[in-house]
Amino acid sequence: MLQRYTYGPRFAYFSMEIALRSEIPTYTGGLGVLAGDTLRSAADLEIPMVAVTLVSSAGYFRQALDEQGRQRESPDTWNPAAVAMPLDAKVAVTIEGRRVWVGAWLYLIHGLTDDSHEPVILLDTDQDGNSEDDRRISRFLYGGDDVYRLKQEVVLGIAGVRMLQALGFTVGQYHMNEGHSALLAAELLNRHAFPPGELRPGESPYDIPRVRALCNFTTHTPVEAGHDRFSYELLRRVLGEDYLDMTTLQRLAGDEALNMTRLALNLSDYVNGVAKRHAEVSRLMFPGYRVRAVTNGVHPHTWTSPSFSKLFDLHLPGWSHEPELLIRADCCIPDAAIWEAHRTAKAKLIDKVKALTGVVLNPKVPIIGFARRMTAYKRPDLLFSDLARLKNIAQQWPFHLVMAGKAHPRDEAGKRLIEQIHAHMWELAGEVRGAFLPGYDMALALDLVAGADVWLNTPLRPYEASGTSGMKAAFNGVPQLSVLDGWWIEGCIEGVTGWAIGDNSESANGDDARAFYEKLENVVLPLYYTNQPGWVAVMKGAICKNASFFNSHRMMRRYASEAYLR
């Protein structure tokens, strides 16, 4: 089976996490879901790619919540043999002086046609001959300390390059999705080293321009602290003294510590951020580098609910392959059909809320949805800043709240946010009915983005690199009410695709709660209750103006033309 995919050059896409399917826990959130959407669109468009990631056989974690909103984590183990094919090839990497064997599984992401697939190579260190510690390297997604993380990045970057060669892939370009995979560029340096006898004094022992020409890098993190760094002492301990010339490495990755982002920046010809604002922020963070902007998108078929898929198939056939056809939704789809498709999706969400929490929601009352990773800069608690104000608004314009999201197991502040949200919901229960749904995954995300009436996003500027949940909502005719950061700066047309909270200046962060309450009370809820044609017009605006553009098909066409085929 594998031979059909090794014929001809492919673009190799490396990512620490990839959302293959909702029930396969090889993703934590946005980064992994984006990676999965990237590959799904590549399959639809028949762009020849091969992806490399870790098997993460114990997953990220399974979330449970008690009555006080305290998060409990348990392993989310899955069996690769149930959905993937074991491959015969094995490669070795030296870690802490030991030879660590790495095997692989083949998973196929299917496109729109029977012949369209993208192979995903799942690296697995759970191999006979490895120590128990080494067998665990590929087991837990983002588990453990810096030592464990560096070992994972060694397997992803170095063993990943070796595995593609062992399997017979011809790689035309490498694409690093975030800095976790930057050691692939270090492995390429070793492959393109000059013979010692040809070097002049002071010359680099590596053909750096050649390596740069092979590499592309997408950065996702607008926060300096969010970029992986490892001490050179730890690097020497894990990889050994002789893996790479340390003088060259420090010149490429930083004098004081190995900065994986700087390593990727210095060894990539094509670098991009994931929204126009994010590219600007990245250029300020890393002056001297050309950081282009390719705004993220989401996979059309994956993130459109069945009721809207059926509607689009009827009125705009071919939309899932050419989502730009959705620009015609305003004139080609009757208002009543849009509203009925949404009612179907909303009913499914209401059923899900009841099944998971016992909370019964009124289908006639608008639902405000919010689902993100629970961490401080996402500000999931902003809407609860003034509970008295919320209660007053709800007395005039009733609304429901449905929220979801996981906090990283080591993010104690994020866990406290979930507890605080639960406490706020209890306090509001008499005036605002709400629920926090446990076990956030892709399937639950689709129910939320399709079934909500308004999608809320309240990040602290400028820390939202892109954000994609509102794009998913747009495919289901759900307008967004959001702080102007990330993609929403590009996607917001006030009153047409949704509504902005404040302006796009960082100085507005402190005034966002007031701006949110005013927009909700004076614009959003009155429109919902008093002007259904006007509300449906905004739903259509979200589809026509946002879904037609902010999709991963457009994103992949740009990567192919600007990065891979340059």
Side-chain angles (χ1 to χ4, degrees):
M1 178 183 290
L2 185 65
Q3 283 68 28
R4 64 175 292 192
Y5 302 108
T6 58
Y7 177 77
R10 284 185 173 259
F11 309 116
Y13 184 83
F14 281 61
S15 183
M16 183 67 82
E17 53 174 298
I18 299 176
L20 305 172
R21 294 208 307 246
S22 179
E23 66 273 21
I24 300 177
T26 52
Y27 64 98
T28 66
L31 182 72
V33 172
L34 173 75
D37 285 356
T38 295
L39 296 167
R40 283 182 275 273
S41 279
D44 290 347
L45 300 174
E46 300 187 48
I47 299 171
M49 297 183 74
V50 56
V52 179
T53 189
L54 302 187
V55 70
S56 300
S57 55
Y60 184 41
F61 69 88
R62 184 175 287 121
Q63 182 194 48
L65 300 170
D66 65 17
E67 291 184 357
Q68 285 72 43
R70 290 188 291 258
Q71 176 177 289
R72 298 289 182 262
E73 303 101 20
S74 59
D76 198 7
T77 304
W78 68 289
N79 180 16
V83 296
M85 182 178 76
L87 297 174
D88 293 334
K90 288 186 180 181
V91 298
V93 289
T94 300
I95 295 178
E96 294 180 330
R98 302 181 303 278
R99 177 175 290 182
V100 177
W101 289 100
V102 182
W105 301 83
L106 173 66
Y107 180 89
L108 296 178
I109 287 182
H110 299 273
L112 291 171
T113 66
D114 292 339
D115 294 331
S116 178
H117 307 92
E118 299 294 352
V120 181
I121 308 302
L122 303 164
L123 302 173
D124 191 355
T125 62
D126 192 2
Q127 306 293 322
D128 292 340
N130 288 343
S131 69
E132 179 55 31
D133 281 348
D134 293 336
R135 293 175 83 129
R136 290 168 54 88
I137 292 173
S138 63
R139 198 168 292 171
F140 297 95
L141 183 55
Y142 299 128
D145 55 13
D146 281 352
V147 179
Y148 186 81
R149 174 70 71 88
L150 180 56
K151 290 178 181 179
Q152 287 192 318
E153 297 189 12
V154 167
V155 171
L156 176 63
I158 297 174
V161 171
R162 295 176 184 179
M163 182 61 73
L164 291 181
Q165 182 181 38
L167 293 172
F169 283 96
T170 301
V171 177
Q173 293 276 313
Y174 294 85
H175 188 158
M176 294 173 273
N177 188 41
E178 195 56 287
H180 311 123
S181 52
L183 287 176
L184 79 81
E187 176 70 5
L188 294 177
L189 286 179
N190 271 332
R191 289 192 174 196
H192 298 291
F194 295 116
E198 296 182 7
L199 291 176
R200 297 176 182 175
E203 282 188 329
S204 169
Y206 309 107
D207 190 345
I208 292 175
R210 187 173 181 185
V211 172
R212 281 186 182 136
L214 288 169
C215 292
N216 310 288
F217 174 50
T218 298
T219 177
H220 295 261
T221 308
V223 185
E224 186 68 34
H227 298 267
D228 282 351
R229 291 180 179 81
F230 303 102
S231 72
Y232 284 111
E233 179 183 359
L234 176 60
L235 182 71
R236 291 186 184 95
R237 171 184 150 191
V238 172
L239 271 183
E241 295 281 350
D242 302 326
Y243 176 73
L244 211 65
D245 174 68
M246 293 303 294
T247 300
T248 301
L249 186 59
Q250 287 180 282
R251 179 162 61 86
L252 294 171
D255 291 330
E256 297 181 0
L258 173 65
N259 184 316
M260 300 295 276
T261 297
R262 286 199 179 274
L263 181 62
L265 287 169
N266 281 317
L267 289 175
S268 297
D269 251 1
Y270 185 91
V271 177
N272 74 281
V274 290
K276 290 180 179 179
R277 168 60 67 84
H278 176 236
E280 295 170 2
V281 171
S282 298
R283 287 192 288 268
L284 292 173
M285 290 176 62
F286 301 103
Y289 295 96
R290 184 182 181 189
V291 182
R292 299 168 174 86
V294 179
T295 302
N296 281 343
V298 300
H299 185 248
H301 189 264
T302 298
W303 294 109
T304 304
S305 63
S307 59
F308 271 92
S309 288
K310 183 178 179 180
L311 186 66
F312 296 156
D313 286 343
L314 177 63
H315 294 279
L316 298 167
W319 69 276
S320 58
H321 186 70
E322 296 181 85
E324 55 268 31
L325 290 172
L326 295 175
I327 201 169
R328 303 171 62 189
D330 58 346
C331 59
C332 293
I333 305 179
D335 287 9
I338 292 281
W339 188 250
E340 185 58 33
H342 174 66
R343 286 183 58 193
T344 301
K346 186 174 181 177
K348 184 178 181 183
L349 175 60
I350 290 173
D351 289 344
K352 178 70 72 173
V353 170
K354 183 179 179 181
L356 291 177
T357 68
V359 174
V360 178
L361 302 181
N362 183 347
K364 296 182 179 180
V365 173
I367 296 173
I368 298 175
F370 181 105
R372 306 299 305 275
R373 178 163 59 91
M374 290 289 138
T375 195
Y377 85 86
K378 305 283 191 183
R379 297 194 296 182
D381 56 340
L382 183 129
L383 70 104
F384 301 105
S385 298
D386 187 340
L387 297 185
R389 181 80 185 272
L390 270 183
K391 291 178 181 180
N392 288 335
I393 294 172
Q395 287 174 1
Q396 183 180 11
W397 309 109
F399 62 92
H400 296 320
L401 290 174
V402 179
M403 303 180 71
K406 294 179 177 180
H408 188 280
R410 294 200 303 273
D411 185 354
E412 294 301 324
K415 292 181 182 181
R416 285 195 298 273
L417 281 172
I418 299 177
E419 292 182 52
Q420 291 164 9
I421 289 169
H422 272 75
H424 293 322
M425 284 187 168
W426 276 110
E427 189 171 347
L428 290 169
E431 289 82 10
V432 180
R433 193 171 299 174
F436 192 103
L437 307 183
Y440 186 48
D441 61 9
M442 287 176 66
L444 185 56
L446 178 57
D447 289 341
L448 279 160
V449 297
D453 291 287
V454 180
W455 195 253
L456 181 65
N457 192 22
T458 53
L460 190 69
R461 303 170 191 81
Y463 300 137
E464 181 78 291
S466 175
T468 56
S469 59
M471 301 175 188
K472 296 161 189 167
F475 270 94
N476 298 281
V478 175
Q480 178 161 290
L481 171 61
S482 176
V483 165
L484 284 166
D485 199 15
W487 83 280
W488 192 233
I489 296 174
E490 303 168 51
C492 180
I493 305 173
E494 184 69 17
V496 176
T497 61
W499 305 273
I501 298 172
D503 59 38
N504 64 5
S505 65
E506 292 181 38
S507 62
N509 282 325
D511 197 40
D512 283 336
R514 183 195 60 79
F516 163 68
Y517 294 134
E518 289 186 357
K519 190 64 65 78
L520 184 68
E521 181 177 20
N522 300 320
V523 177
V524 178
L525 294 177
L527 180 67
Y528 183 90
Y529 277 107
T530 66
N531 186 358
Q532 183 172 316
W535 185 268
V536 173
V538 181
M539 294 177 70
K540 284 187 170 183
I543 297 168
C544 297
K545 305 294 193 300
N546 283 347
S548 68
F549 181 81
F550 294 100
N551 56 76
S552 50
H553 280 31
R554 181 265 314 159
M555 180 187 76
M556 283 311 299
R557 288 185 177 107
R558 284 200 60 189
Y559 279 136
S561 63
E562 298 175 24
Y564 305 158
L565 301 176
R566 66 182 188 274

